[in-house]
Amino acid sequence: MIPYEVEYLRASSVQQALSILAQNPEAKILAGGHTLLPMMKLRLARPGLLVDIGRLPELRGIVVHEDSVSIGSATTHAELEASAELKRLAPLFPLAATVIADPTVRNRGTIGGALVHADPSADWPAVALAMDAEMEVAGGQGSRRIPAHEFFAGFMSTAVEPDEVLTRIHVPLPAPGRVAYRKFRHPSSGYAVAAAAVAINVAKDGYSWGRIAITGVADAAFRAWEAGALLEGSFADLPDKVDAIVEAAFTNVTPLEDNFADGAYRLQLGRVMLKRALVDALEPRRGD
Ligand SMILES: Cc1cc2nc3c(=O)[nH]c(=O)nc-3n(C[C@H](O)[C@H](O)[C@H](O)COP(=O)(O)OP(=O)(O)OC[C@H]3O[C@@H](n4cnc5c(N)ncnc54)[C@H](O)[C@@H]3O)c2cc1C
């Protein structure tokens, strides 16, 4: 499809982007453009003005603090995949990045764009939920932080208002060390038909707790609270609880249906992905 004519401005700061958004209700933020531009070509989105924040240094990169690691919203999937800090401190991010689309998309697409667009089959929402991340959002009245489990508001909908900018994603440290991500990719798009993120923390005395999040299966990524609660207890007991955890994760979930996967198939793929992710996370390691 041929794109239509549109005004384009490259913002020089988040502050400038916010004032452009405040003055132009038809304006939209552009980050990597790998979702917005295809939507514009298909006439599914019709912004009159694009405000490019993709190259703002204040929105790029990974900063390690004492009790958190903060990721700029315009950091690309490829940068997250390659980050040595994340591999060491929050390995679920680089792990999930490897299965997002292809290298071309990973080099341009940003974590912030994926989180705000909130496609029900996107990967980062599940990672943000499993890592208990907080999203920092800037607006005319200043900044606010939104926990991941309050950020996703339903089908392609988030707590970010049209005149706000997602600036950073904060991940609490220490983050769980046993992480796994399993995804059944759609054969043409590469998006998740079903994917499961698992993060388990194991203390020296063998006591464990963790979080589970699912994407692709329902109209929005979700945290599987009851299933996650079953991760709490003796780590040694977890292998016997896998089936119960998988069952709990999909109880009362209304699945998405499309030409590729009906509801029952999608739920079953979700169960299989979660079971595989749990097996990965529970795998014996040197020193256990
Ligand atoms: C062929 C292909 C395959 C793909 N496969 C996958 C996949 O397997 N898994 C997956 O998760 N994704 C996949 N994607 C999506 C890709 O990851 C996108 O890049 C990403 O979802 C959107 O990021 P972006 O930076 O391109 O955002 P853009 O397209 O620039 O923006 C997307 C939306 O978010 C808004 N926005 C962007 N940044 C901000 C911000 N900081 N604050 C407020 N609003 C903002 C924009 O206004 C727009 O509405 C695929 C895309 C393509 C083209």
Side-chain angles (χ1 to χ4, degrees):
M1 291 280 293
I2 299 164
Y4 62 93
E5 264 187 41
V6 62
E7 292 289 314
Y8 169 92
L9 281 174
R10 190 184 296 169
S12 57
S13 66
V14 171
Q15 216 42 53
Q16 194 203 20
L18 289 173
S19 57
I20 297 170
L21 289 178
Q23 288 158 26
N24 300 276
E26 80 290 5
K28 238 180 164 354
I29 293 292
L30 179 74
H34 269 51
T35 293
L36 184 53
L37 297 183
M39 287 182 73
M40 288 168 63
K41 286 185 182 178
L42 293 167
R43 307 299 191 261
L44 294 172
R46 279 189 162 271
L49 169 63
L50 294 177
V51 186
D52 190 347
I53 56 155
R55 287 174 234 197
L56 287 180
E58 60 190 297
L59 296 182
R60 302 291 297 255
I62 294 144
V63 182
V64 179
H65 306 279
E66 202 174 315
D67 59 357
S68 67
V69 55
S70 123
I71 301 167
S73 64
T75 308
T76 63
H77 310 320
E79 287 164 340
L80 293 161
E81 183 181 3
S83 164
E85 287 103 332
L86 289 177
K87 283 180 185 158
R88 189 166 52 87
L89 297 169
L92 189 53
F93 284 87
L95 182 64
T98 61
V99 294
I100 295 179
D102 51 47
T104 313
V105 175
R106 294 205 286 274
N107 279 329
R108 292 291 300 180
T110 68
I111 186 169
L115 291 170
V116 176
H117 182 64
D119 189 292
S121 301
D123 295 284
W124 289 129
V127 174
L129 286 162
M131 297 307 287
D132 213 16
E134 275 191 343
M135 320 302 180
E136 186 174 340
V137 173
Q141 311 301 317
S143 278
R144 61 195 177 109
R145 284 197 187 198
I146 308 164
H149 63 267
E150 292 173 12
F151 186 82
F152 303 104
F155 185 75
M156 288 183 163
S157 166
T158 70
V160 181
E161 300 293 340
D163 59 353
E164 291 183 317
V165 173
L166 172 63
T167 52
R168 299 202 78 83
I169 297 99
H170 300 276
V171 184
L173 294 180
R178 282 183 171 266
V179 295
Y181 192 72
R182 282 293 190 132
K183 168 176 177 178
F184 186 94
R185 302 166 71 108
H186 189 286
S188 69
S189 73
Y191 276 93
V193 183
V198 172
I200 303 176
N201 189 71
V202 190
K204 281 206 173 67
D205 63 1
Y207 180 81
S208 72
W209 57 266
R211 304 183 206 103
I212 291 169
I214 306 293
T215 190
V217 176
D219 65 352
F222 64 91
R223 175 111 172 243
W225 293 96
E226 279 180 36
L230 293 174
L231 295 169
E232 192 167 347
S234 163
F235 181 69
D237 292 343
L238 288 186
D240 294 334
K241 293 203 241 169
V242 165
D243 288 339
I245 294 169
V246 169
E247 206 43 51
F250 295 96
T251 306
N252 298 325
V253 172
T254 306
L256 280 178
E257 308 221 32
D258 59 24
N259 289 342
F260 181 75
D262 66 16
Y265 179 48
R266 227 182 195 96
L267 281 173
Q268 184 57 15
L269 285 176
R271 290 188 193 99
V272 173
M273 292 304 111
L274 177 54
K275 189 163 186 170
R276 289 182 185 171
L278 286 165
V279 169
D280 290 350
L282 298 179
E283 212 171 62
R285 293 180 181 181
R286 214 178 320 147
D288 279 350

